[in-house]
């Protein structure tokens, strides 16, 4: 039973919403299917809140709530800085995606999304697939990332990986004066959907790649395909590499890891890589680590998906937008260095300014 592993909630939910500025949070519960989900809608000034659904074996309900609140807030910044007319939202489902996922659970979740009448649009995230989005689409039209055979944009991961690769190259240009990754060593933490495509880009360019993952089958597949070197889960923080690329879960740049990292660059696809964005962003700057803001460089997937929302899937437009992550990253890193401000804060300021400006123009017809 899922409930056996959950601990009681101890922090006030409303205090958390106040602190992070959320508009709405929806708890989805059903005994029959085992659905325990939370939808977080952070900000809808720019448009409907778009963000994927994550299925994960959270240790507690508090962890799940904390994750959905942080992730949905991150989507507000991501969609804004990417120039999309979309607000920030995200959903989590508590459970092991390999054991607890079923058609009924997904379709019931789809009904909860439907009842929000378009205020929240879902897509895939960790533990979800395009096929799962199809099940959700049987109950609501407010879902994207459907299989290409169904007219959707399919798996967003190749686009996310392309954006991360572009952001990593821009960070290399800042750190080394040129953007070539040939001969650079990169530690990719997590070789799931995005991590694998990223490893492909990196090995094609001649980088030396180290990988870690909790699943042996993923490690075996990616090391065999691309000749990447497998390292232990915890060893990844101590590697003597040029680039650390977090591509699993968030908060891996924290008090206990930051002094172990020997890299010059942090650039990956994971959301919320900095446990505390001010403290650890500042520490990166002080240590001379070029940190490419996560929500800026991992926006490729949502950029691709956004074309589906606006009417007709357009991969050509999406690819061009994703490639522009290179210039945006360079600009933000330049401002960060010139003003001595951490790059995450610079990117957040740009995102917030756009939201404020658009709120002003919405006040008239
Ligand atoms: P995924 O579930 O396919 O892959 C994540 C991988 O990380 C899995 O193989 C998992 O076993 C591994 N992992 C988990 N904990 C780990 C640990 N402690 N050490 C090493 N590996 C670990 O997910 P994904 O779609 O590749 O997404 C990866 C990250 O990027 C997530 O944080 C996700 O929110 C973020 N992201 C994904 C997309 C996308 O397009 N898929 C877009 C933006 C952001």
């Amino acid at each position: 039973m899922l409930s056996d592993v959950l601990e009681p909630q101890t922090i006030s939910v409303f205090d958390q919403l106040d602190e992070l500025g959320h508009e709405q949070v929806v708890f989805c519960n059903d005994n029959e299917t085992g659905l325990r989900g939370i939808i977080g809608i952070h900000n809808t000034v720019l448009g409907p809140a778009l963000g994927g659904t994550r299925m994960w074996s959270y240790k507690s309900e508090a962890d799940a709530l904390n994750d959905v609140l942080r992730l949905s807030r991150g989507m507000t910044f991501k969609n804004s800085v990417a120039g999309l007319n979309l607000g920030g939202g995200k959903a989590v489902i508590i459970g092991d995606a390999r054991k607890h996922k079923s058609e009924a659970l997904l379709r019931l979740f789809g009904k909860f999304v439907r009842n929000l009448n378009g205020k929240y649009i879902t897509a895939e995230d960790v533990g979800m697939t395009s096929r799962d989005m199809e099940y959700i689409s049987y109950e609501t039209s407010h879902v994207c990332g459907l299989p290409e055979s169904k007219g959707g944009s399919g798996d967003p991961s190749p686009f996310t990986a392309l954006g991360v690769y572009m952001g990593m190259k821009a960070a290399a240009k800042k750190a080394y004066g040129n953007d070539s990754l040939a001969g650079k060593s990169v530690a990719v933490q997590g070789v799931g959907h995005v991590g694998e495509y990223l490893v492909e880009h990196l090995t094609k360019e001649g980088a030396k790649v180290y990988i870690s993952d909790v699943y042996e089958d993923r490690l075996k597949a990616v090391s065999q395909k691309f000749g990447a070197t497998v390292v232990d889960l915890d060893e990844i923080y101590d590697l003597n590499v040029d680039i650390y690329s977090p591509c699993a879960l968030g908060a891996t740049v924290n008090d206990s890891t930051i002094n172990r990292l020997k890299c010059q660059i942090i650039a990956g696809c994971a959301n919320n890589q900095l446990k505390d964005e001010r403290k650890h962003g500042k520490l990166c700057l002080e240590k001379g680590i070029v940190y490419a803001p996560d929500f800026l460089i991992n926006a490729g997937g949502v950029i691709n998906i956004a074309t589906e929302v606006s009417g007709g899937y357009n991969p050509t437009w999406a690819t061009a937008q994703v490639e522009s992550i290179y210039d945006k990253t360079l600009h933000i890193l330049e401002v960060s260095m010139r003003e001595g401000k951490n790059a995450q804060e610079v990117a957040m300021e740009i995102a917030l300014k756009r939201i404020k400006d658009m709120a002003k123009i919405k006040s008239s017809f």
Side-chain angles (χ1 to χ4, degrees), residues 54 56 71 78 90 124-127 156-157 160 189-195 212-215 218 233 247-250 269-271 298 301:
R54 170 174 296 188
W56 191 252
L71 289 166
K78 187 186 309 199
K90 200 91 178 179
E124 76 174 86
D125 191 62
V126 176
S157 311
T160 304
Q189 181 182 39
V191 281
H193 288 91
V194 183
S212 71
D213 201 291
V214 290
Y215 293 128
R218 297 301 308 145
L233 287 178
C247 293
L249 298 177
C269 69
N271 289 305
N298 74 9

Side-chain angles (χ1 to χ4, degrees), residues 133-150:
M133 295 307 111
E134 203 178 335
Y135 284 132
I136 292 173
S137 78
Y138 296 159
E139 306 299 336
T140 178
S141 57
H142 304 300
V143 53
C144 43
L146 294 174
E148 284 168 86
S149 56
K150 295 269 167 185

